Amino acid sequence: MLWCAARCNRFQMPRLFSASNSTRCFHQHQRERQPFSNLANRRVMLTPRSRFRRALCVSATTGHQTPQLVLGIESSFDDTGVGVVDSSGQVKSDVRICQREHHVHTGGTVPRVAGQLHAASLPEALDAAMREAGIEIDELAAVACTVGPGLAPCLSAGLNFARAFCQSSAKPMLPVHHMEAHALTARLTAEAPLPFPFLVLLASGGHCLLLICENVSTFRRLGTTLDDAPGEAFDKVSRAVGLPVGGAELERAAASGDPSAFRFTVPLSSTRSCDFSFAGLKSAVLREVDRQCSVVDPTWSSQLESVRLTSIERAQLTSTVMQRPEMAHIRSAIAASFQRAVCHHIAARTHRAILYCQRHYDLSGLVLSGGVACNEELRVVLTRLAAEYTLQTIVPPPRLCTDNGVMIAWNGVEKLRAGEAGLQGEALSALKYTPKWPLGLDCSANIVGEQIKVPKLKF
């Protein structure tokens, strides 16, 4: 379910969020909704420990454990997500509120504004998620919330909201690493059980990682981006060639283009590591766009030199030229050539990671996750690569590759299964968000040390 941020509900959230305001909001909500108003009375009768045992939902008559329900809250970037998942893997609700229309005119996400939008949207998203799931607060076993990495104002809004909710409803909170949640989503969506360990490629607008997932909380990092993330490069190239910002728009344009029209150099081809780099490739594409603009408009170079332009102004000027009807085939060709270079770069690094894992692990599969994993050509290339080594490829559906509350809730389920009890009391009050938070133990030096040569494969 996709909810518009303009819609209103019974929650009234102030523009600037604070924990005290959010607590007041929840108490007001409990008074308005009769089923929630009994929460305070129940809290008097149950200690935190007995309350958590009760949340495990063990039947006194049969001894069978019914599925636990976990609420997930995601606010690390520019999408507000709230979802409910049970421990059997059933998604009870999935509510998202997208902010992109608010940031489109600024050339990117403004952290302060994004944080304010999260604070305003979270009460609505929570209410919608609970209604969609058809449950009451008492039925939740725990609340999972993203606490990093991400934009500080966005993480702050989500954590303050989740903490106020947990404190007012006496629920334990499970802090979640955003990228860990992406990595574990495949265990929710896989048709067959996905045992540990498995190899994960996380590619998004802010990250690009190759990880070995050994268990719910243990990861080994084989490679990461040295500069830009792939999603960021997709966005900037999309804007430069006159397309709406986003990888999906560029992929649509690339479908009708010739991927061999422009030969962009695949980054780090001579470096035997699993690290990524997209800044140089992005710059090469932007230079080609400038060259194509100069061909159709002889005054193009003088326009750029006559006045100092910001990167956004320059992109807008370039976009105006590239949107001309006679540039349609050039636009598609550049998009297709850039997309192919990105896919081959990611495939080469993933190939080396597979070869390394063959020496040290018995992998159960290759998982692709993150927003860039929605790209169909990348999926096809990596599926063929994994098949060469008899590895299954698991890709969550596109709606769960982008940021969402469901993956956060599922990570909470995984933590409960692993024996984590969640935070309450002073530990919850002291919890802080972490904008910069590397995932896993850095093992990139081991990759370089083994000097693994990657054979060429035709995709």
Side-chain angles (χ1 to χ4, degrees), residues 228 232-234 236-237 278-287 338:
D228 293 348
E232 179 186 0
F234 270 106
K236 291 184 177 179
V237 169
F278 299 96
L281 175 58
K282 176 194 67 180
S283 298
V285 174
L286 298 183
R287 287 194 297 270
F338 167 71

Side-chain angles (χ1 to χ4, degrees), residues 210-458:
L210 275 166
L211 305 155
I212 300 169
C213 182
E214 296 184 349
N215 58 49
V216 170
S217 57
T218 303
F219 293 81
R220 298 191 181 275
R221 190 169 68 254
L222 305 183
T224 186
T225 181
L226 303 177
D227 38 61
D228 293 348
E232 179 186 0
F234 270 106
D235 286 348
K236 291 184 177 179
V237 169
S238 294
R239 186 185 297 114
V241 299
L243 297 169
V245 174
E249 299 293 340
L250 188 138
E251 184 179 4
R252 276 192 283 272
S256 59
D258 178 7
S260 61
F262 301 96
R263 295 190 177 276
F264 298 121
T265 303
V266 177
L268 302 179
S269 297
S270 59
T271 304
R272 293 184 179 180
S273 72
C274 288
D275 290 326
F276 303 88
S277 174
F278 299 96
L281 175 58
K282 176 194 67 180
S283 298
V285 174
L286 298 183
R287 287 194 297 270
E288 183 59 39
V289 170
D290 281 348
R291 194 181 74 81
Q292 293 297 327
C293 289
S294 299
V295 170
V296 299
D297 186 351
T299 65
W300 173 253
S301 297
S302 60
Q303 290 182 54
L304 295 181
E305 294 172 358
S306 62
V307 61
R308 180 172 295 180
L309 301 173
T310 65
S311 59
I312 295 176
E313 291 170 337
R314 183 187 179 98
Q316 290 172 341
L317 189 61
T318 304
S319 178
T320 301
V321 177
M322 294 297 293
Q323 286 174 347
R324 295 180 182 179
E326 64 269 25
M327 299 295 286
H329 69 289
I330 296 295
R331 185 166 59 245
S332 296
I334 290 177
S337 300
F338 167 71
Q339 179 177 262
R340 170 167 288 188
V342 169
C343 290
H344 283 196
H345 175 48
I346 292 177
R349 319 316 277 180
T350 306
H351 194 171
R352 180 171 287 108
I354 290 174
L355 293 174
Y356 172 82
C357 289
Q358 281 199 319
R359 300 178 180 181
H360 304 282
Y361 292 89
D362 182 16
L363 295 178
S364 63
L366 170 64
V367 170
L368 314 181
S369 195
V372 176
C374 294
N375 184 281
E376 184 63 27
E377 181 173 345
L378 181 62
R379 291 185 183 215
V380 169
V381 168
L382 293 178
T383 298
R384 290 177 181 173
L385 170 63
E388 291 286 331
Y389 297 92
T390 63
L391 286 175
Q392 63 170 328
T393 304
I394 303 95
V395 189
R399 66 184 181 85
L400 293 182
C401 283
T402 54
D403 295 349
N404 61 87
V406 168
M407 70 177 189
I408 305 303
W410 175 250
N411 190 267
V413 169
E414 293 267 31
K415 289 177 180 292
L416 289 180
R417 285 176 174 176
E420 294 190 30
L423 303 179
Q424 291 182 291
E426 293 183 3
L428 176 57
S429 298
L431 180 63
K432 299 182 183 300
Y433 58 84
T434 309
K436 296 185 182 298
W437 188 4
L439 177 59
L441 178 67
D442 185 5
C443 297
S444 57
N446 298 349
I447 303 288
V448 175
E450 296 200 16
Q451 287 292 294
I452 302 171
K453 185 176 180 180
V454 174
K456 289 187 177 181
L457 295 177
K458 289 186 178 182

